[in-house]
Amino acid sequence: MPAVTMDQLVSLCKRRGFIFPGSDIYGGLQGTYDFGPLGVELKNNLKAAWWRANVYERDDMEGLDAAILMNRLTWKYSGHEETFTDPLVDCRSCKARWRADHIQGVCPNCGSKDLTEPRPFNMMFKTQVGPVADDTSFAYLRPETAQGIFVNFANVLATTSRKLPFGIAQIGKAFRNEINPRNFIFRVREFEQMEIEFFVMPGTEDAWHQRWLDDRMAWWRSVGLSSDNLQVYTVPKADLAHYSKATYDLMYRFPIGFEELEGIASRSDYDLGSHSKDQANLGISAKVMENADSTARLTYFDPETKRHLVPFVIEPSAGVDRGVLALLTEAYDEEQIKPVSAERAQAVRDALAAFVKSVGRNEKLDPAQRDAILERAEAIGQDVAAHMAQIPALLDLPGASSIELSKKLRGQADPALDESYRTVLHLKPALAPIKVAVFPLKRNAPEIVATAREIRKTLQADGNMRTVYDDTGAIGKLYRRQDEIGTPFCITVDFDTLGQGKDPSLTGTVTVRDRDTMQQERVLMRELPEYFRDRLR
Ligand code: GAP
């Protein structure tokens, strides 16, 4: 079963240390999130997979890491100062501000239709550069990484002697002062992009556009997104960004529906033409602003025709945060492993009913929070046994923990969840934050503990992967914990491993348990590195 709601993902991410609201202890900062111990691993693995596929495994790509702060002129000539805007409206009744194209003429806060006319709101953040604060000493935090690539085009060309077609890839932070950041890490004010600017001969751009669309689709599938959850949307001409001749949006079925995961734009010669000097002599086809400031001619010398030309650009631009969200959405599953006993189900049902009553009666609860809690509780209540795994997410909804009876509900559900359900992330092993967890069957058996710790260390060193040792619970509970964070394999060291069990043929072996099948097998300790080599790709 795929993720049912965003709340379930938010709850898991917070509970298990993937993603936390930014500046949480000070009440947060809207549109910012912090990636915790597991989130940073997942994100790094996604970025590494992208870099490997797009830089190392291709013959036509170079990498770059440009500065976030750039000369303000970059954003003048890129067109962002003038056009990187969203339509802003104010609600005259409650004074809330909204992005006009997100609200269909009705204020989501108070329901009023008394809104101002939309006006353009520039989404670039400004910051002061240097000690003097005046109208000229500011820079923008980049709203896309792309411009760092364009302004380095001549540098890369000169230092690598590349021939067209070739591309430059970059991963880095981007910042947008979104009017209404929302939907967890889907729309935030600080995020990361994985961008490629691929430079091609004019006239070949349509074929390359299609090739990149196919390549990028195949790559998202290779990291685990299913074809059923991916769609291509051809952006209508009227909605194209100011630089684009044509754009395909690669859409993923997030819990909020199909939304953009990556944009693949055909940017013509707009960018290199905009940032180039001597524009009049370059035969630029795009409509660009006259540039009196650039010191470089951003052209390519074609050895065949012996002339300088401005390359066209295809730009596959993916969001890292949206990528992480898509991976989590795709991987999330709740599975019933064995039936819940009738008594336990009844106890949870009773606790849920009491909780719902208490929520309904609570006058201190914010009405919107109360409605959200009741709506979710009602959905669970339709079949408590089938939806029991959603109770932690229900209790993580804003306001829920302020209800005294939430503790009782959690207490009743917990044992049933431990025995009968598991939440599991079916992440591709290569992307999983932790690859292998090692447990001792008994934590007070020094030889077993030492062997388990040694295995963890050896695998860590051998496979250059994140492994963990854990002895903080019974084995069943430890398996559940690792399932929930997507660890593909768990190893248990027991008395048989040490030759102290009933079956001497098991000496030197450990139990390896597979996350997805939950099957266990005995594997020789010395063969573990080999065993995992293929299975963790
Ligand atoms: N250089 C082209 C460019 O920036 P874009 O469609 O505006 O194009 C590319 O952004 C990708 O960046 C999007 O497909 C999305 O994945 C991600 N992205 C854009 N704005 C975002 C935001 N506010 N929060 C999270 N990700 C965002």
Side-chain angles (χ1 to χ4, degrees), residues 84 143-146 176 178 185-193 195 197 243 249 260-263 267 315 317-323:
F84 197 62
E144 59 171 15
T145 63
R176 296 184 188 179
E178 296 281 353
I185 54 170
F186 179 81
R187 188 176 303 286
V188 281
R189 290 183 168 140
E190 174 178 343
F191 55 99
E192 276 187 277
Q193 292 184 312
E195 294 203 295
E197 305 304 327
Y243 49 73
D249 279 348
E260 179 185 339
L261 169 64
E262 169 163 353
R267 293 179 77 129
E315 179 199 59
S317 170
V320 177
D321 309 70
R322 286 189 193 177

Side-chain angles (χ1 to χ4, degrees), residues 379-453:
I380 295 172
Q382 309 230 323
D383 186 348
V384 171
H387 298 132
M388 203 175 296
Q390 295 175 21
I391 287 175
L394 166 74
L395 298 177
D396 280 347
L397 286 175
S401 61
S402 68
I403 305 293
E404 193 51 33
L405 285 171
S406 67
K407 292 191 198 88
K408 178 149 191 222
L409 176 57
R410 197 183 293 275
Q412 290 295 354
D414 264 358
L417 291 175
D418 270 0
E419 296 153 15
S420 311
Y421 288 89
R422 66 171 190 156
T423 298
V424 54
L425 289 184
H426 294 290
L427 291 167
K428 282 250 172 181
L431 295 163
I434 293 165
K435 308 292 188 236
V436 179
V438 190
F439 314 139
L441 185 69
K442 274 192 176 305
R443 68 174 158 198
N444 53 5
E447 245 187 296
I448 290 187
V449 168
T451 308
R453 286 196 182 277

Side-chain angles (χ1 to χ4, degrees), residues 229-260:
N229 293 332
L230 288 164
Q231 271 181 5
V232 179
Y233 172 71
T234 305
V235 178
K237 283 256 179 286
D239 297 343
L240 289 174
H242 63 276
Y243 49 73
S244 174
K245 190 181 131 184
T247 297
Y248 298 126
D249 279 348
L250 227 151
M251 314 283 278
Y252 180 73
R253 195 201 304 260
F254 292 100
I256 47 173
F258 274 101
E259 291 288 346
E260 179 185 339

